[in-house]
Amino acid sequence: MHHPGSDPIKSTTLFSKESLNRLGLWTFSFLLTVSSFYRGEAVDFSTDVIPILERHCYECHNENKSKASLRLDITDGWSLGGDSGEPLIRAGQPGSSLLIQRITHSDPSERMPPEGEGLSSKEIETIQGWIRDGASLPKGGASENSFYQTDHWAFQPIQRPDVPSATSKSTQHPIDAFVAARQEDMELSFSKEADRFSLLRRLSLLMKGIPPTPEELLRFQTDRDPFAWDRWVDMTLSHPQYGEKWARHWLDVVRYADSNGFETNRERKTAWHYRDYVINAFNTDKPYDRFVHEQLAGDFFGEEAATGFLVAGPVDIVKSPDISLTLMQRQNELDDMINTTSTAFLGLTVGCARCHTHKFDPIHQKEYYGLQAIFAGVEHGERPLQKNLPADQKRKIEELQSQLTDLESEINRWKEKSTTSVKPVQSGTRPPVNARLNEETFEPVDAQAVRFTVLASTSGEPCMDELEIYDLMDLNVALSSLGTTASASGTLPGYAIHQLKHIHDGKHGNQHSWISNSAGSGWVQIDFPSTRTIQKIIWSRDRNEEFTDRLPTRYFIEAKTPASDWIRIADSENRIPHNGKPDPNAFLSLLSKEDRDQAESLLRQREELKSNIQRVSRTEMVWAGKFHQPEPTHRLYRGDPMQKREAVPPGTLQVIRPVSMASNEPEQTRRVKLAEWITAHDNPLTARVMVNRIWNYVFGRGIVGTPSDFGANGLPPTHPELLDWLADEFIRSGWSVKHIQRLILTSHTFRQSSQPNATGLAKDAEGLYLWRFTPRRLSAEPIRDSILATSGVLDPRMGGPGFYLLDVQVENVMHYFPKETFGPPEFRRMVYMSRIRQEQDAIFGAFDCPDGNQVIPNRSRSNTPIQALNLFNSPFIQQQSNILAERLRAACGEEMNDQISQAFLLLHAKMPDEIEIQMSKDLIQSEGLESFCRALYNSSRFLFVF
């Protein structure tokens, strides 16, 4: 037994880590014990506490969990809480404390402990009193929480290891030395160097995404400079096509696409600016730390398009009247930003902490919402792309602005005249127009015809389903059955349900209506067989109330008298404006016809001037997000936006030197500080993650096989020392991506042959220890680009709006259909294809091509019958085979041997051997040159990188 004055926490028999781990007890077991201390009783862990714990607690500890446990002998332990993210105790607030809620819960399935009698009233009262008095802990507890104390390799500082001693000439390169050291452990060794044709093809496909030309192959083959390979590597890395190839990798990582996704799947016409920014960043070897800064806060660092990274993911633009669903949509948008940022730059699955504390890594739920507070001011959408205009362009804009000012003055004079030209009509005394039914009454007038003129509509061409004209007997005298005739300014062509005859056929609804052929304007006229005395008109857009678009909002109605004079009998001027918005052009209806024509001409000139100013200004928009100062962010219980908990200030992860921010930190500053924290030299993840991605895209597998998960649930590195050496070298080089690539490409590890050998296959069939260059199938983009390049029709234009491999049907809900015919507009590199979420083109989408709905750190490489059918029978392949055949004829004439040799150089980067020549001749003689070309496009040698 211990005496009350002793220090129980430090006692070897009280709360030892071994005891708690052995018992694996529910979290509140410690607190029950603490309650005994609160009562001032001397308690021995073995004789007094164990019986209580055995009576009230249950086994929940998962021995296979790799996440650090929460310490319950310090304040942080119970304030952080467990997996739910809820603090176990709120000091001074027993009613709000999760512990009290669970031990007093009325539902047996929720009450703790779940088995047995539960706590006695006295025990509950003791714990409540302890919490009410501040929940103070005994002295002598630990000073740090072991939740953030981890020995996981990825969270350890980067330490540059010594390069292993070279054992041969082939291991003098630092990368080769590290690889050879691991091979020695596995009793493996390097393969010989690949032949020059294969080596240059490998370099070109992996770095540029297209094969080398026959001229390049022959030039490299005869280049005897001892530094020839280094020079060709440099030439390849400096080629503009390099950026096009490597940008595609990054666009996978950041889930880039050119549409919103979800039901409407609207296009993002200006998202391509971000794609072009990424291409340029790789081509110019932008320092990676700067690359990170600009994508998170490009509006601060002077790269507006770069923040397209933040809003590159899908967004649901259809909001729900249910507030809980709308709030959940917003949570999903923010989760996408958090998940993409953490996986792309840090290799951590922070998104797993949205609803509860991370199951594997030391990331608390509160930290997730700290990151959410950083992004809380980011909204999906476009903003102006700021550019500096040249002086002559500015002068042109000033001239146009001056013309616009003069025009506005003339229009204002007509507005002033309208107030005196006719007797003012009292405005706002009648209801606004509506789609179902509108009534116009006036003094009786003798009329030979009535004309309804539309001056404006809610959208598109105005539509009316029926124009009814009533005489003094309240008879509709406009009906065609009474001998009237209809005429109009024009009728929208191509729609049987929208014809002029429907304007007076006595039938209602959109299925029997007339639509003008002019946007926002038009007139329709009814002529009577004889003079009628009329006193009322009724008209509607859709009497059945199914459609409300195309509604006329500004109009006037005239009657033709027996003297052939047209007089105004009704108009929209004394109606309340539609949707409560005053019509800026309402003055036109108060002018005479001659004056109105002149005023409308001026209005048209004004619109043309505004359009010219906008064109000359070139104020482009870019899908790069909109920013605002956000409201406070709250932790959400189980991720439910309707269950807010405590406010959480913006902040970063505690496990890596954290950066704290004020709750009212300016929105932009939050993102800047996040970028600086990610790229800080003491952040152990950022450099490791990026060099691993580079390695992954060169060799087909990263040193860490899970490129976006460096946490405890990811795979460990196969070459940890090499990974740290590369990461340190990356930082020392000024974060140069090309420097790391140059190191890899000049190593024997990269240059070795892809040929298998029995020893290697037996001990390391996956090639994890790099005893050869492991062959792999090309992804969709280099396959298509290589086809176009070898047929000779590849369009080298860079940048700008993308092309489509889908036909687009523009509606509220967009529809996309794969194209079946292709021409020069589709012959650009595939990185410039407008990528539509949830849709794939008919041919290359089958090759595991992502659609941008989620981050893709590593593309899968499937092998399916549809892939083979697409490459053999599709119209695109047949077209390109024919074009390639014509290219061969143009270059070689009808000499079959020359055609075969040229084709093999183009597509296979090799000269054919005797067997290949004979098989090719047989195929050409029996099936034709086009079929021979199609066979080469379907060969493994063309589709794989060796």
Side-chain angles (χ1 to χ4, degrees), residues 822-837:
F822 310 93
E826 290 81 41
F827 291 167
R828 299 182 69 190
R829 294 201 67 170
M830 202 171 174
V831 71
Y832 298 116
M833 179 191 74
S834 292
R835 194 170 295 273
I836 305 300
R837 287 189 165 91

Side-chain angles (χ1 to χ4, degrees), residues 435-436 465 508-511 541-547:
R436 188 183 69 81
D465 72 346
H508 299 133
N510 187 67
Q511 296 294 108
R541 158 62 181 98
D542 180 6
R543 199 74 61 89
N544 297 334
E545 298 186 272
E546 295 178 356
F547 292 84

Side-chain angles (χ1 to χ4, degrees), residues 268-287:
R268 294 176 178 173
K269 294 287 191 179
T270 60
W272 59 268
H273 290 286
Y274 173 73
R275 174 249 291 156
D276 283 1
Y277 160 80
V278 175
I279 292 173
N280 184 65
F282 277 101
N283 273 333
T284 58
D285 198 20
K286 186 185 290 286

Side-chain angles (χ1 to χ4, degrees), residues 147 216 265 413 426 665 696 789:
F147 180 77
E216 289 171 331
N265 207 10
R413 284 196 291 272
Q426 184 181 3
E665 194 85 30
N696 174 56

